[in-house]
Amino acid sequence: MMAFLNIVILFVTIVLMEALSWAMHKYLFHGPLWFIHKTHHQEKHDWFELNDLFSIGFAAFALWLMWAGHTSLDYRFWIGTGISIYGSIYFIFHDWFIHNRFKAFKSSNWYLAGIRRAHKIHHKSMRKSPSEEFGLLVASKKWFKN
Ligand SMILES: [Zn+2]
Ligand SMILES: [Zn+2]
């Protein structure tokens, strides 16, 4: 029963992370924290962007949770693991596949092509607003056409 509960916690965390990052992106990053997030919307990028601090912050929080719950493998460990898995997916899809920060990773998979299209639309705007498509893994279905 415990193992089942932990798996539920893990998956719920991953789903909630997409919702949380959508809300943070829309209301904080394109709001009061725009001065940091704008480093990700500029035409020219340094390899390290100030915006990366958000990822580092999430990673530190996830590691801290995993560390706090590691002896009894309680809910903190599984929430921390869920955040780490979401962070890894985000990193692979967003930083690697969409923005090509490393060696090119190409795919014509309809899902990946769709989220890339949606995120590129988000980047069309170099300003705080207006902008659209604040999520990463979930996007409006109009982008998923072949
Ligand atoms: Zn943005
Ligand atoms: Zn981006």
Side-chain angles (χ1 to χ4, degrees):
M1 193 58 207
M2 241 4 241
F4 175 72
L5 192 64
N6 291 336
I7 291 168
V8 171
I9 291 174
L10 186 70
F11 279 97
V12 168
T13 302
I14 295 172
V15 172
L16 285 181
M17 279 301 290
E18 172 69 9
L20 181 70
S21 50
W22 173 85
M24 286 178 70
H25 190 184
K26 188 174 165 84
Y27 298 108
L28 289 178
F29 300 175
H30 285 258
L33 297 179
W34 172 249
F35 70 101
I36 297 176
H37 184 60
K38 73 176 181 198
T39 61
H40 184 56
H41 278 268
Q42 287 158 352
E43 191 104 52
K44 282 223 185 289
H45 295 256
D46 286 327
W47 195 76
F48 180 83
E49 302 163 2
L50 204 54
N51 186 63
D52 293 333
L53 289 177
F54 293 127
S55 315
I56 295 170
F58 267 115
F61 178 60
L63 286 175
W64 174 75
L65 278 171
M66 289 169 81
W67 174 79
H70 84 279
T71 38
S72 49
L73 293 186
D74 63 19
Y75 68 96
R76 292 169 298 186
F77 179 83
W78 297 102
I79 292 173
T81 305
I83 297 173
S84 303
I85 292 173
Y86 181 80
S88 309
I89 295 171
Y90 197 96
F91 181 79
I92 293 169
F93 286 6
H94 177 259
D95 295 274
W96 190 3
F97 175 66
I98 297 175
H99 289 299
N100 280 310
R101 290 178 81 173
F102 308 94
K103 196 171 164 304
F105 160 15
K106 296 201 174 81
S107 170
S108 52
N109 173 276
W110 74 273
Y111 172 73
L112 289 178
I115 63 169
R116 177 164 57 195
R117 224 170 275 142
H119 194 70
K120 293 290 187 192
I121 291 298
H122 176 71
H123 274 281
K124 251 179 126 171
S125 164
M126 310 252 192
R127 289 174 299 130
K128 186 169 164 180
S129 65
S131 199
E132 55 179 327
E133 296 297 348
F134 296 93
L136 182 74
L137 304 181
V138 179
S140 159
K141 70 171 191 284
K142 66 184 172 196
W143 309 116
F144 293 95
K145 289 181 193 131
N146 289 319

